[in-house]
Amino acid sequence: MKIKIALFAGLADRIGTSSLDFAFPHPEHQQVTAAQLKEALTAAYPAASTLIDASFVAVNQEYAAGNAVITERDEVALIPPVSGGENAADDNAPPRESELYVITEEPVSVEEVTRKVITSAHGATLTFTGTTREWTEGRRTVHLEYEAYVPMALAKLQQIGAELGEKWPGARCAISHRIGRVGLSEISVVIAVSAPHRDSCYEASRYAIERLKQIVPIWKKEIWEDGSEWKGHGLGPWDPSVPGTYSSVR
């Protein structure tokens, strides 16, 4: 049984490829579980065992529990812990889903993202803008490099928008995230949220930011004057394939 696996960020660096054609060591098996696949990968790549163990398996662009079944036909990715339309003629006609959530190599415009959520029905709009910071814990950053599992990242951004709509009915959300090289003071992400009232807008905005850090497969590589390091999310250990393990987000 051969499984094609997409690899990202530090895991791709450690194994030496971003796409792995992995022959499962038991050819009689026509399907394996996500947990069995990780065990086999750990045995095959012992130098990357710690990072493999900390990573999550995605099957067909969804996080998979350990007992999830995988076949040769599935789209499989190993996810290291994750980091962080302009037509306004009718503001009651919201932008299409594909316009609200964007992964791009081009510079991101705060004004463009914010326009997507402004509506006459809402009295509050908040925009979060993430930029590259020069100094972190005494080390000088030269620039950042972002990488994404783009199709899954877009799906998870849409999921965040759907969750906001359920928790704060009527809230609108738009997110644009840049990938590739992002220089000092340049924008890496813009999250815009609008809602009828400011209290729910504040809550929804914070929720969107924290959820992006938790479930969206985007990684950043910090390039310093004397080295570099891939960074994942900063919210502590959790398993995105198990509901209820992100209770820190309100």
Side-chain angles (χ1 to χ4, degrees):
M1 179 180 180
K2 185 172 287 188
I3 303 172
K4 190 175 185 66
I5 306 170
L7 306 174
F8 300 93
L11 191 57
D13 288 351
R14 188 72 57 86
I15 293 179
T17 181
S18 61
S19 181
L20 187 65
D21 288 316
F22 184 68
F24 192 72
H26 303 287
E28 71 277 8
H29 290 194
Q30 297 304 308
Q31 59 185 33
V32 299
T33 66
Q36 289 172 331
L37 178 61
K38 286 182 64 175
E39 289 175 2
L41 286 168
T42 297
Y45 300 94
S49 60
T50 300
L51 193 50
I52 292 171
D53 184 62
S55 298
F56 309 114
V57 177
V59 180
N60 300 323
Q61 301 177 20
E62 288 291 343
Y63 290 110
N67 60 356
V69 173
I70 299 171
T71 70
E72 289 184 325
R73 298 185 300 275
D74 290 319
E75 178 182 335
V76 180
L78 201 57
I79 308 292
V82 296
S83 77
E86 303 175 24
N87 185 359
D90 179 4
D91 67 4
N92 289 316
R96 295 190 300 272
E97 199 79 0
S98 60
E99 298 173 325
L100 292 174
Y101 307 103
V102 176
I103 306 291
T104 179
E105 295 183 354
E106 301 300 321
V108 177
S109 166
V110 175
E111 293 78 11
E112 178 183 343
V113 179
T114 304
R115 277 198 299 269
K116 296 177 183 180
V117 302
I118 292 178
T119 167
S120 59
H122 291 174
T125 300
L126 285 174
T127 303
F128 169 83
T129 304
T131 58
T132 302
R133 182 178 58 236
E134 182 174 11
W135 291 94
T136 302
E137 297 179 354
R139 304 189 78 166
R140 182 178 182 272
T141 298
V142 178
H143 67 270
L144 300 178
E145 294 178 4
Y146 284 89
E147 180 179 339
Y149 180 15
V150 174
M152 185 174 177
L154 289 171
K156 292 302 174 185
L157 292 178
Q158 293 176 12
Q159 177 182 326
I160 291 171
E163 291 176 1
L164 257 67
E166 292 178 1
K167 291 177 175 292
W168 296 276
R172 286 188 181 182
C173 179
I175 303 173
S176 289
H177 205 299
R178 191 173 174 185
I179 56 175
R181 179 175 175 141
V182 181
L184 295 177
S185 300
E186 291 184 354
I187 296 171
S188 57
V189 61
V190 175
I191 302 174
V193 175
S194 70
H197 305 287
R198 66 177 181 273
D199 55 349
S200 57
C201 194
Y202 276 118
E203 293 172 1
S205 177
R206 176 63 183 270
Y207 182 92
I209 294 164
E210 301 305 322
R211 282 298 268 158
L212 184 147
K213 292 180 181 179
Q214 286 187 329
I215 68 171
V216 182
I218 296 176
W219 305 267
K220 70 177 179 181
K221 190 175 190 178
E222 292 189 358
I223 310 299
W224 306 312
E225 293 177 308
D226 58 351
S228 64
E229 182 180 1
W230 284 103
K231 296 286 189 178
H233 66 76
L235 300 183
W238 68 292
D239 188 345
S241 67
V242 179
T245 59
Y246 42 84
S247 58
S248 62
V249 177
R250 296 294 187 263

